[in-house]
Amino acid sequence: MMTTLTDPTTNQTNSFNGLVTEFLVMLETSNRSQHTRSTYTSDLYAYITFCQRVGESGISTAESVNTLRSYFATLTHLAPATRAHKQAALASFFRWAYKNDLLEANPMEKIERVKLQAASPRGVGRKLVEAVLAVIPTAKVRDRLLFHLIFETGLRVGEALAIYIEDIDLTLDDEHIVVTGKGNKRRTVLLDDTHLVQQIRNYLKRTGYRNGPLFRAEKNNQGGPLRYQTVQASWSHYAAQAGVSCTLHQLRHTHATELVNAGVSLTTIRKRLGHQNLQTTLRYAEQSDQVADAELRAWRRQRQQTG
């Protein structure tokens, strides 16, 4: 069965598959990350398969809400975060279809969304991260640089993978990179760690890269950009070798917590991490009780001395 959608503005019928393809092309042209596009592709075609199996279009205004509810009911065995991600993919598609007058209404607006508790960011500490970095073979220069870069700058994994040689400026005493974050917002990130800067220089010299992606699949050094899943699997392998429980995203948390504990202002941390909302950065501040206690003790001592 071919799932279809009627465009009310032209009275033409388009295949659901074709619309999904058009939607995914839109994501690519709007510079959404490869990870996002891959995830959305998988989730959208899983919904199409479900619709075909139960013999419903799943997209016509009359039945789409019930079809969506039936589909999400089959996912209750999955973790809440996973279900939320799948809902997000469909919500993005239906929002796009409605915005472009391909639907008379957005059915996802009537779907109860999965509620997730805001997870407290958890850093693991520098010693544990360095223990993982230490097990990466010296010959694996790409992996050593990638994970060191994420750890010392707090970049999101997708941001690191999207770096091009042209985004790097190694001017002495002003080394920095320009990264593209959420919402396609670009920001400049200072490369303030001298060891990291030297790693980048050595990596570029060894690979001979002059332009294009900084991190590439290892196919005679001419591979395409690294896939998110490949990087995740590599980090998990190294962490297991080191006997350390640490997810790749925790490198970012660890860096942020270090900055907070070092007394760096939340405004500066927000800019470095690319947070759109200061409230996100404040979640890291809540982890730094020792720093807060030290500041209060210093304030109390100063008051007592002047009192």
Side-chain angles (χ1 to χ4, degrees):
M1 170 186 167
M2 179 62 72
T3 306
T4 60
L5 170 64
T6 300
D7 183 340
T9 63
T10 64
N11 201 31
Q12 294 178 346
T13 299
N14 301 304
S15 72
F16 192 177
N17 302 59
L19 287 169
V20 167
T21 299
E22 185 179 345
F23 172 71
L24 294 173
V25 169
M26 179 278 296
L27 292 180
E28 184 173 7
T29 56
S30 61
N31 203 30
R32 298 295 290 273
S33 72
Q34 177 61 46
H35 173 63
T36 296
R37 300 199 307 270
S38 297
T39 301
Y40 278 23
T41 299
S42 176
D43 291 339
L44 288 169
Y45 280 106
Y47 178 63
I48 290 177
T49 300
F50 172 81
C51 292
Q52 293 174 338
R53 187 170 65 248
V54 300
E56 297 179 0
S57 73
I59 198 167
S60 68
T61 304
E63 68 179 25
S64 53
V65 174
N66 289 333
T67 305
L68 283 166
R69 286 174 177 158
S70 297
Y71 172 64
F72 290 133
T74 69
L75 306 179
T76 54
H77 64 287
L78 300 176
T82 302
R83 287 185 281 128
H85 288 156
K86 292 181 179 299
Q87 284 188 339
L90 284 162
S92 182
F93 170 76
F94 279 109
R95 186 166 54 248
W96 167 83
Y98 174 63
K99 181 179 178 181
N100 287 276
D101 298 322
L102 299 172
L103 282 178
E104 296 176 357
N106 180 355
M108 281 297 296
E109 291 182 352
K110 296 187 177 183
I111 299 296
E112 188 72 21
R113 303 295 288 272
V114 175
K115 296 293 190 299
L116 295 176
Q117 292 184 342
S120 297
R122 296 183 300 110
V124 298
R126 175 167 288 271
K127 288 185 177 180
L128 290 181
V129 173
E130 290 181 339
V132 179
L133 295 175
V135 306
I136 304 176
T138 304
K140 295 287 188 179
V141 291
R142 183 200 65 191
D143 289 358
R144 291 173 68 88
L145 173 59
L146 172 60
F147 298 132
H148 191 187
L149 176 68
I150 294 173
F151 176 46
E152 294 294 356
T153 61
L155 294 182
R156 299 179 178 92
V157 180
E159 293 173 344
L161 296 181
I163 295 174
Y164 272 57
I165 307 298
E166 294 84 346
D167 298 323
I168 305 172
D169 187 338
L170 296 180
T171 300
L172 187 63
D173 293 330
D174 187 29
E175 298 91 346
H176 61 268
I177 52 177
V178 178
V179 300
T180 303
K182 290 185 175 181
N184 292 324
K185 292 186 177 180
R186 291 173 67 81
R187 70 183 188 280
T188 299
V189 177
L190 179 69
L191 298 173
D192 54 314
D193 181 79
T194 55
H195 178 51
L196 174 61
V197 170
Q198 191 58 48
Q199 265 191 291
I200 295 175
R201 294 183 188 277
N202 293 341
Y203 176 77
L204 293 176
K205 182 177 180 180
R206 179 166 177 170
T207 60
Y209 295 159
R210 294 292 181 267
N211 51 63
L214 177 62
F215 300 109
R216 311 179 189 187
E218 293 177 339
K219 295 179 181 178
N220 300 321
N221 287 331
Q222 298 299 321
L226 268 176
R227 295 173 65 247
Y228 188 95
Q229 294 86 343
T230 300
V231 174
Q232 289 277 19
S234 295
W235 176 259
S236 296
H237 170 71
Y238 295 134
Q241 278 192 318
V244 173
S245 177
C246 174
T247 67
L248 183 52
H249 194 63
Q250 282 181 293
L251 298 185
R252 176 173 165 87
H253 294 330
T254 301
H255 179 69
T257 302
E258 276 194 342
L259 294 180
V260 170
N261 291 341
V264 178
S265 72
L266 292 179
T267 301
T268 297
I269 297 174
R270 175 193 176 190
K271 181 178 183 298
R272 186 168 179 86
L273 298 182
H275 289 156
Q276 296 184 18
N277 193 320
L278 186 60
Q279 289 300 120
T280 305
T281 314
L282 284 170
R283 291 165 54 202
Y284 292 99
E286 294 174 358
Q287 306 300 306
S288 57
D289 291 341
Q290 293 180 348
V291 173
D293 290 348
E295 289 182 0
L296 287 172
R297 291 192 180 98
W299 170 78
R300 180 64 65 183
R301 285 195 296 270
Q302 183 179 16
R303 181 180 180 184
Q304 290 174 344
Q305 289 172 359
T306 58

